[in-house]
Amino acid sequence: MGAHHVISLTRRVPDLEPARAFYRQFGLEETAPGTFATEIGGEQLHLLAGPAAEVVEIHIGVDSAFDLEEIAARLEGLGVAVTRTAVAIAAVEPVSGVSVRLSVAARLPKDPPRVPDTGDRTDLMRRDPVVPLRLGHVVVGCTDVERAKVFFLDGIGMRLSDYVIGGPFMRFETDHHNIVLLPAPLTLLHHTAWKVRSVDEVGYGGSRMIENHPERHAWGLGRHGASANYFWYLKDPAGAFAEYYHSDMDDLADGPYFWDPVPGTGELPVAVWASPALTEQPLVPEAMRAPILTEG
Ligand SMILES: [Fe+2]
């Protein structure tokens, strides 16, 4: 029992219309202006107009009112102020300034099994738009990940899965990671990741998004080390990345052979393989490039 999934992310973008068009083409269903739904996760992305790119709120689902009270008490024990309403609690993670709201919500149904290849090549003819199943994880850059992780691990009760490039990868249950903090010179949304049904959908979705939009291509197709998922990252018009991913590993995450990492040891490669290789910092957001360039 406890917190079980990221219900939604709310973010501000400086230019709303191009961002709305991007996420419609990405395959999310726009149910109201700026509100986007996945197939099994419901409304999981809310885009608000500027003035600057900003992570406004991460909304997390829990099983019961008892969970809300337990989490509120733990956060208050960490010195974090908690706001209570009849149906939710809310608190601000003090390092990043990101608001986190928790409310009682139904768990998501299990991901549907992948459709097996037919063997008669009809699967290779399919040209339906990719529709993401659900929001898998949210990655936030912040200035002190060690301090910020305490809110999520000790306050909300997430588990630590791994450290990759200096960032704690944290999970609720069976996904390898649901919220990740990455070291950054400022708070920013690094990327959101959207689960699709197969590696074919990762490839098809990514290639479809860059058709006539080569500027959207960031990194992919590739395979991560830490979570073993296939990925393709695209640049959205508001300075963050959007990732299509698929992993058969997710449901293994609480199996007896899954690991509890020891921070600082056994760092896994960011990617086992990818196109292009990780030589050009393809996943450094524009907002971070200037400080990095002046350092070197
Ligand atoms: Fe990711």
Side-chain angles (χ1 to χ4, degrees), residues 14-280:
D15 203 351
L16 186 57
E17 293 312 314
R20 285 177 58 196
F22 178 95
Y23 283 99
R24 281 194 298 267
Q25 290 175 32
F26 192 77
L28 301 179
E29 183 193 354
E30 191 168 29
T31 53
T35 294
F36 294 87
T38 57
E39 185 166 314
I40 65 173
E43 292 173 345
Q44 297 207 276
L45 176 65
H46 303 280
L47 299 179
L48 308 175
E54 186 187 358
V55 184
V56 176
E57 181 189 80
I58 298 173
H59 183 191
I60 294 170
V62 305
D63 284 311
S64 68
F66 177 77
D67 293 327
L68 290 180
E69 205 34 63
E70 250 193 6
I71 292 168
R74 286 201 299 262
L75 288 170
E76 286 170 341
L78 297 171
V80 174
V82 176
T83 308
R84 290 171 172 81
T85 66
V87 294
I89 63 170
V92 175
E93 192 289 302
V95 178
S96 63
V98 172
S99 292
V100 176
R101 178 161 55 107
L102 300 105
S103 60
V104 178
R107 289 175 178 245
L108 292 184
K110 224 171 152 43
D111 295 334
R114 65 160 297 183
V115 178
D117 295 344
T118 57
D120 64 4
R121 300 194 178 177
T122 51
D123 51 308
L124 301 181
M125 305 287 283
R126 193 165 53 81
R127 285 296 179 266
D128 298 332
V130 168
V131 179
L133 293 169
R134 61 183 171 87
L135 175 59
H137 56 268
V138 174
V139 180
V140 174
C142 78
T143 55
D144 187 342
V145 299
E146 290 307 300
R147 272 184 58 216
K149 77 177 185 185
V150 174
F151 179 99
F152 295 99
L153 296 175
D154 298 345
I156 292 176
M158 299 186 75
R159 293 172 68 184
L160 184 63
S161 287
D162 266 308
Y163 266 79
V164 183
I165 52 173
F169 281 51
M170 301 173 289
R171 72 180 186 275
F172 295 112
E173 292 199 329
T174 57
D175 283 346
H176 177 272
H177 51 282
N178 301 109
I179 295 177
V180 174
L181 301 170
L182 284 183
L186 69 167
T187 297
L188 50 78
L189 177 66
H190 185 278
H191 73 269
T192 52
W194 304 85
K195 186 166 187 183
V196 293
R197 288 164 188 72
S198 64
V199 65
D200 283 324
E201 285 204 352
V202 176
Y204 177 50
S207 52
R208 189 170 163 272
M209 283 297 282
I210 64 173
E211 229 173 62
N212 305 316
H213 286 281
E215 77 285 357
R216 289 175 173 171
H217 180 59
W219 199 32
L221 180 70
R223 192 169 202 193
H224 279 310
S227 49
N229 61 289
Y230 300 98
F231 64 81
W232 194 323
Y233 292 86
L234 300 145
K235 289 179 209 166
D236 82 12
F241 301 103
E243 176 188 6
Y244 289 117
Y245 81 97
H246 177 78
S247 174
D248 293 323
M249 289 289 286
D250 288 348
D251 286 346
L252 304 182
D254 276 345
Y257 38 83
F258 194 71
W259 62 92
D260 272 318
V262 179
T265 63
E267 286 211 357
L268 292 159
V270 176
V272 181
W273 53 264
S275 173
L278 187 55
T279 53
E280 297 173 1

